[in-house]
Each structure stands twice: as C-alpha cells, then as structure tokens.
Amino acid sequence: SHRPFRLDLLRWNHDDEGPEAEVFEQLRCLTGDWRTSLAKGVPCGLQWTALELEGVFLRHRAGPALLWLPESAPNLLLQRAPGGPWTLLEVVELEKQTRIKDKVSNKRCTGEEEVALQIKVAAPVRTHDNAKFRDASPHLTDDWLQAVEDLRSVWQWDWRPLRQTSPFEFVQDKLVCAPGYPIADVTRGFYGETRWQWRFLEDGRGNLVVRNYYWPPGMRLLLSQGGMSFKTEDGREDSGDLRTARSAADAEPAV
C-alpha cells in the first residue's frame, strides 16, 4: 500500500532486555486500536472507540522535512530529508496500560453480574524536562519506509494544502470524510484524540508551529521550507540531535 498512515514496526530485531527495547516500547505506544472521545453518561465523561485514521503526514511543499503525527499519542516521528533516518521526538514517556472499555451483564454464563471488556492503550508516565530524540529507523519495516518515500515522490496528488494558498501540505487516510469523525479536521489545524490533540498553525513568518495539548506551554516544533527546529519550554532551540542525525546521514563512507 502507498498509504502508510498506520506505523508498521519490526518486532523481533532487538533484545527485549537491551537498550533498543526502550525505544521500541515508545514506538509501540504510537500504535493502537482505540481512541478516546468525550461522551455524556459514561464514567469520567470519556468513551473508547475503534481507531480509524491512525496518522497524518505534514510537510512544506518545497522543503525536505516530513512529519508523522499519530492519532492517539503525544509524540511524533520526523525525517529531515528524503531517504534520511527517522527520529522519534519523545516529549512524554508512555506505556501500555489496561483500561475498561465496557462492562456487560453475563450472569448466565459466568455467574458474575458484570464482565469487564479490557483493552490496551497508551498512557502517560511522565513529561520530560528536555525532549528526547531517538533513532526510530531500525524499528520501522522496509515496506513502511518505502511507502513513505512513495508518498513523497510518486503519489503527489494525495497531498492537499492546509489552506488554499498555504505552502504546507498534509496527507491522511480517505476516511477523513467519514461521518461522525470530528477529530480529523486537519484543514482547521487540529488532529488527534481528546487526551492529546495536535495543533498546527502558520505563524506568518514562514513556519508551521506544531504543538500537542499535552506538551508543556511554550514547547513547540517549527516546520519550514528550510527544515525544522524544536523549541523548549523556555524558548531555547533544541536541535542538536537533529543536526547530528543529518551529519551522520550525509557523511561520506570511510575508505
């Protein structure tokens, strides 16, 4: 498929006790089958429904960088240039936790008044003081990586401007048109589920400012024709890892 909106991970290429296991676990938390939405008459005012869209890609039409924002997590993937490595931008440490989706009466079968239907979903552990930049490429399948490159070079007609005259473009699954799916209004500058919604707006200075509802105030990623940069909560630029990734990718092989 040329629409890699759902992240596809290599699950057997690392030691479960090794350092790569931590990176894989954070990437695994970007995938899932459930999202939350506001609802009346349910505990805590939230209900769990099946995930459909799964991810959206953003870019500047004339720029080299590419972003992938998950539907149900507050961290993202970024690629500085075509064919380059993918980096996980981790602002929030996540873990998979069990939640109760529904409770159903099943007294005849089990003798219990109610049976809980449990699901596994990503949940926050802590927010980092300084965002972490992790190498994601070793954990991504070749099929997913190739599908993303095809989005860049082959399927140009899939990309749409965020607004009529905007140089920033997005691409996502065609289910965006499905009725009853209000979180997908990318052209209005937001995307994602209730717990951690993405916002992205042009600042009038050539940047698309990308933020997540769960991030600390002031923390943001800037996407532009020249590439991207990440701003910490106090306004400092934190792009050292991005430059390191670029340098490693551009370096000539040793003779």
Side-chain angles (χ1 to χ4, degrees):
S1 172
H2 68 275
R3 295 182 172 87
F5 305 108
R6 184 181 180 89
L7 199 62
D8 194 9
L9 301 178
L10 289 168
R11 299 181 180 273
W12 313 113
N13 69 328
H14 63 275
D15 183 352
D16 287 342
E17 303 299 327
E20 292 300 311
E22 183 178 342
V23 181
F24 174 80
E25 180 62 22
Q26 293 306 309
L27 289 170
R28 192 171 72 93
C29 287
L30 305 189
T31 67
D33 299 308
W34 305 96
R35 65 177 177 90
T36 56
S37 57
L38 297 175
K40 295 181 179 179
V42 298
C44 301
L46 295 174
Q47 67 178 358
W48 295 96
T49 53
L51 190 108
E52 295 181 25
L53 299 182
E54 301 174 338
V56 63
F57 289 91
L58 297 173
R59 72 176 184 182
H60 188 287
R61 185 184 305 113
L66 192 62
L67 300 180
W68 178 79
L69 310 182
E71 179 180 341
S72 56
N75 301 321
L76 59 84
L77 293 181
L78 57 91
Q79 186 188 42
R80 297 193 75 262
W86 280 90
T87 299
L88 168 66
L89 174 58
E90 181 187 324
V91 176
V92 183
E93 181 183 345
L94 303 170
E95 68 178 9
K96 289 286 189 179
Q97 295 182 1
T98 300
R99 293 289 186 271
I100 296 176
K101 180 183 181 295
D102 287 309
K103 290 184 177 181
V104 297
S105 176
N106 201 24
K107 188 173 183 179
R108 178 181 299 178
C109 297
T110 65
E112 300 289 339
E113 288 292 338
E114 289 184 328
V115 174
L117 301 179
Q118 297 182 335
I119 57 177
K120 288 284 189 179
V121 299
V125 176
R126 65 189 180 98
T127 301
H128 299 302
D129 294 331
N130 296 297
K132 296 185 178 182
F133 297 84
R134 300 181 182 271
D135 185 10
S137 292
H139 302 282
L140 305 174
T141 66
D142 290 341
D143 287 345
W144 190 87
L145 293 170
Q146 184 58 55
V148 174
E149 294 307 313
D150 288 345
L151 273 181
R152 283 182 175 272
S153 59
V154 179
W155 307 104
Q156 294 291 333
W157 51 82
D158 280 355
W159 292 89
R160 297 171 53 193
L162 289 176
R163 55 182 177 79
Q164 188 172 3
T165 59
S166 175
F168 296 99
E169 298 178 326
F170 75 95
V171 61
Q172 63 179 155
D173 195 283
K174 299 302 188 265
L175 283 173
V176 65
C177 298
Y181 216 85
I183 69 168
D185 204 348
V186 176
T187 56
R188 294 181 181 271
F190 63 87
Y191 176 81
E193 66 162 86
T194 302
R195 291 181 298 167
W196 27 52
Q197 191 174 73
W198 295 100
R199 294 300 309 268
F200 34 91
L201 297 171
E202 296 175 64
D203 65 359
R205 293 177 290 181
N207 299 308
L208 185 69
V209 181
V210 180
R211 277 191 38 77
N212 189 276
Y213 173 80
Y214 207 85
W215 289 3
M219 191 173 284
R220 60 202 183 278
L221 186 144
L222 305 181
L223 178 66
S224 68
Q225 182 176 351
M228 65 182 74
S229 62
F230 182 75
K231 301 289 187 180
T232 62
E233 187 175 5
D234 58 5
R236 294 181 296 105
E237 182 172 341
D238 185 3
S239 300
D241 295 85
L242 300 182
R243 288 193 293 269
T244 300
R246 178 190 60 184
S247 299
D250 296 343
E252 295 184 0
V255 177

